[in-house]
Amino acid sequence: MKKIISTLIIAATFYSGLNAQSDAKTSEEKLYRPNYHFTPKTNWMNDPNGLYYLDGLYHLFFQYYPGGNKWGPMHWGHATSKDLVKWEEQEVALFPDQLGYIFSGSAVVDKNNTSGFGDGKNIPVVAFYTYHDPVKEKENKLDVESQALAYSLDNGKTWTKYKNNPIIQNPGVQDFRDPKVIRDEVHQQWIMSIAVHDKTQFYASKNLKDWQLLSDFGKDLGAHGGVWECPDFFPIKIEGTQETKWVLIQNLNPGGPNGGSGVQFFVGDFDGKTFKTDALFAKQLAKEKAVWLDWGMDNYASVSFDNVPENKRIIIGWMSNWLYAQEVPTEKWRSSNTIAREVNLVKTKEGYILKNVPVSQLEKYQGKKISKNINLKSSQSIFKNNEIDLTKAVIDFDFKKMTSGVYTFTLSNSLGEKLTFGIDNKEKSLFIDRRKSGKTNFSDKFAEKITIAPLSKTLTQGKFKILIDKTSIEIFFNNGEKVMTEIFFPNENFSELSLSTDTKGSTLNITAHQINIK
């Protein structure tokens, strides 16, 4: 009898443990799985890779480790979307092989079959990636990384690795990765940008298989607080003109504007061989030292899609930071992406702005709408959860008659946890403060300080577009002139939005939309 009772106790304990694990996973899903940002069903994800559009589908590949929730031997995961908002995860696309892990890269739609990979019926898609050899790495060799390609004739469903890989051998440098390829129509060539430790190298090809080194860029320009990674290089017209400039987006880690991973950019001209910053950007760079795409802690490896309709330039980033990405409090999966964003180049007297705003397709998921007009007082509630679900909302704020004071928005819950953000018109800056936002002690770097984005002057009016999901906020100030992206992990979803200020006389127009996506 004692043996039976003992067995029952052990069984009850075992099943209780299983239920506790199941409840924890359910709680994690409910609390932290984003409502409208892409995240893998399970395991580890980092950089977006191989972004392209073809036959009605957008393709998002990504650095993926199917064996665990921390970084491991890299594969290319895969997701597709018809509209850049709602993503469906697909089978893993590229697996490590005898040449190494499959690191970051890009893809192009080879419409004219310059590669010769086409079969006469299907347009070849050619993907470029870095091989990272773990054996050579253990042997402390320099030539750990090389560039390779694979191609698909069924719009990304299956891939064939090129028999003559690697296509570019390592030149004798440890960090040599993340090939980004684009068509240069003016010079009738393909251009590949590669991050090479502390600079970008440009290569050219006629057939996507044979590559020639053209030039180097950036060794003594911009931010160099860490290794340069994940470049993107493209031509873009200055907004409102027919003038074209070339933009180099250059991620680096660490060395971001508020610590850890960051995304800087350069503006200039490309003659088919050499990229040089133009005079106005050179002045801007001399003054600012580095020019940033996003001032928040959690937008890294932002790169753009190939072959987007209407020649739009659409980017998407990894919504995390290498300072703490492997320690964030989710177990089943780790990491999500930013919302896809359209970028436009704006020229001002002071320099260039690479505006980025949410893609317009997000608007089709807007449901319930609430509008309010407020004369600001010291403190007031704006929304409570019975008005709008603050785990899936887009909110537009339009300030008028601003004065030299501080305007602080607070997202809060019944546990007293809060995320604050807003504009400090005295110090001329935007800010996000997640020090009391919930779980923060998984890393001493996560909530170390308030994140700041400087403004050039005190403002009398300003517009915010705020995207809020369960664990993220994306702030687009003045139509994307300044952007901040950050993640957070409250122990209970935020349910109220309030505003406090130390000024008088300002007005605020608010329009909020619920995002409905399943």
Side-chain angles (χ1 to χ4, degrees), residues 110-120 122-124 153 208:
D110 185 16
K111 296 175 189 174
N112 296 320
N113 195 26
T114 62
S115 62
F117 292 134
D119 59 5
N122 301 292
I123 296 174
L153 296 178
L208 293 171

Side-chain angles (χ1 to χ4, degrees), residues 173-191:
V173 61
Q174 195 166 23
D175 302 304
F176 179 66
R177 55 180 171 267
D178 311 336
K180 184 66 166 77
V181 176
I182 189 170
R183 182 68 183 169
D184 173 12
E185 289 292 357
V186 172
H187 303 100
Q188 289 296 294
Q189 60 185 350
W190 296 97
I191 298 295

Side-chain angles (χ1 to χ4, degrees), residues 67 181 229 232 265 281 285 351 372 378 446 448 468 502 510:
V181 176
E229 296 185 309
D232 195 3
F265 69 91
F281 187 83
L285 197 56
K372 295 186 178 185
S378 59
F446 182 76
E448 190 175 27
I468 308 171
D502 57 359
I510 306 166

Side-chain angles (χ1 to χ4, degrees), residues 311-367:
N311 257 348
K312 290 183 177 180
R313 186 59 53 181
I314 306 293
I315 60 172
I316 196 167
W318 175 48
M319 196 151 51
S320 199
N321 190 309
W322 279 114
L323 287 174
Y324 43 74
Q326 298 186 89
E327 280 76 48
V328 297
T330 59
E331 295 296 328
K332 187 176 180 181
W333 80 94
R334 282 218 167 97
S335 303
S336 56
N337 286 125
T338 68
I339 203 73
R341 304 171 180 182
E342 182 176 354
V343 298
N344 286 286
L345 185 65
V346 175
K347 186 176 184 179
T348 70
K349 292 179 181 178
E350 291 75 32
Y352 291 94
I353 300 165
L354 197 60
K355 290 199 313 186
N356 56 123
V357 295
V359 290
S360 60
Q361 291 94 321
L362 183 60
E363 294 173 7
K364 80 175 189 178
Y365 293 98
Q366 291 179 351

Side-chain angles (χ1 to χ4, degrees), residues 145-158:
E145 295 174 343
S146 59
Q147 314 315 321
L149 71 79
Y151 62 92
S152 174
L153 296 178
D154 56 9
N155 197 2
K157 291 188 181 76
T158 59

Side-chain angles (χ1 to χ4, degrees), residues 488-508:
F488 47 82
F489 298 92
N491 289 291
E492 174 188 285
N493 290 146
F494 291 132
S495 54
E496 183 173 6
L497 177 65
S498 58
L499 173 64
S500 61
T501 182
D502 57 359
T503 72
K504 293 180 179 179
S506 302
T507 62
L508 177 62

Side-chain angles (χ1 to χ4, degrees), residues 49 63 74-76 94 96-97 99-106 127-133 144-149 166-168 170 174-180 192-195 230-231:
N49 299 151
Q63 291 287 275
M74 282 290 101
H75 301 55
W76 270 25
L94 294 175
D97 57 39
L99 293 177
Y101 302 159
I102 311 294
F103 272 20
S104 291
S106 58
F128 301 85
Y129 57 91
T130 295
Y131 269 125
H132 182 94
D133 188 332
V144 172
E145 295 174 343
S146 59
Q147 314 315 321
L149 71 79
I167 54 171
I168 302 179
N170 188 288
Q174 195 166 23
D175 302 304
F176 179 66
R177 55 180 171 267
D178 311 336
K180 184 66 166 77
M192 179 188 290
S193 313
I194 302 177
C230 301

